[in-house]
Amino acid sequence: QRALPTASDDERVLIQEAIRETANEGNVVIVAHAASYALGSRKDVMRVLVTGSPFARANRWLTSSGGKSPREAEETIAASDEARAHYLKRFYNVDFEAPDHYDLTVSTDKIGAAQVIQMIVGAARAIEAAPDANVRAGWETKEIPQVKRYPGS
């Protein structure tokens, strides 16, 4: 296994500051750059993971690929997943991205984009309407674990 390059402190700080500044503006959606990890367990943030199986994502990619092959689709999705895993490790020391790192995890295998948007907006409105509901229910907001995790464990 090859060693991952480490992010320079300057890169890490610059990206994390940009994410925090954007979040501080309020009422924003930040897509990418693992913003949920940079923002940790801020109470004014809803962390959402929109995902799907590699098969479904490859099939979606094929429809907009301009005639690329299924093999190219699979390779593209695998490379994208590997790049994300490396980014999480490099910037946030996360060994395995897990659904419990998020407040809401949605698979797009059977749900279209419009429905996913409705789900996210509905969840955000529910949280805004009852921000302390989790505490009343006995659930605690937790820090994203920085422990080594493995798929299937």
Side-chain angles (χ1 to χ4, degrees), residues 100-113:
D100 64 347
H101 295 174
Y102 296 88
D103 302 307
L104 176 65
T105 301
V106 181
S107 170
T108 59
D109 283 12
K110 296 181 180 180
I111 303 171

Side-chain angles (χ1 to χ4, degrees), residues 30-60:
I30 303 172
V31 179
H33 295 292
S36 61
Y37 290 95
L39 297 172
S41 62
R42 281 177 57 154
K43 293 181 187 280
D44 63 338
V45 170
M46 184 175 81
R47 299 172 311 238
V48 179
L49 173 64
V50 179
T51 189
S53 69
F55 178 78
R57 291 167 44 226
N59 282 334
R60 269 195 307 277

Side-chain angles (χ1 to χ4, degrees), residues 6-153:
T6 57
S8 75
D9 287 340
D10 290 343
E11 282 180 301
R12 185 175 300 122
V13 168
L14 180 67
I15 290 171
Q16 290 175 349
E17 282 180 359
I19 290 168
R20 283 190 207 98
E21 286 174 14
T22 301
N24 287 341
E25 292 175 16
N27 202 24
V28 298
V29 175
I30 303 172
V31 179
H33 295 292
S36 61
Y37 290 95
L39 297 172
S41 62
R42 281 177 57 154
K43 293 181 187 280
D44 63 338
V45 170
M46 184 175 81
R47 299 172 311 238
V48 179
L49 173 64
V50 179
T51 189
S53 69
F55 178 78
R57 291 167 44 226
N59 282 334
R60 269 195 307 277
W61 184 87
L62 272 174
T63 63
S64 63
S65 70
K68 304 284 184 182
S69 73
R71 180 182 174 130
E72 287 175 288
E74 290 173 9
E75 290 171 354
T76 299
I77 296 302
S80 173
D81 289 349
E82 183 178 353
R84 179 170 177 81
H86 284 202
Y87 182 87
L88 289 173
K89 178 66 177 170
R90 185 174 156 216
F91 277 80
Y92 301 103
N93 199 29
V94 173
D95 290 313
F96 176 70
E97 184 175 30
D100 64 347
H101 295 174
Y102 296 88
D103 302 307
L104 176 65
T105 301
V106 181
S107 170
T108 59
D109 283 12
K110 296 181 180 180
I111 303 171
Q115 290 78 25
V116 169
I117 292 167
Q118 289 176 347
M119 290 174 70
I120 294 169
V121 170
R125 287 183 176 150
I127 290 169
E128 189 175 57
D132 295 329
N134 287 342
V135 175
R136 287 194 305 269
W139 301 337
E140 295 294 326
T141 302
K142 62 181 179 184
E143 289 289 332
I144 295 173
Q146 297 295 314
V147 296
K148 190 171 258 190
R149 306 222 16 205
Y150 300 94
S153 64

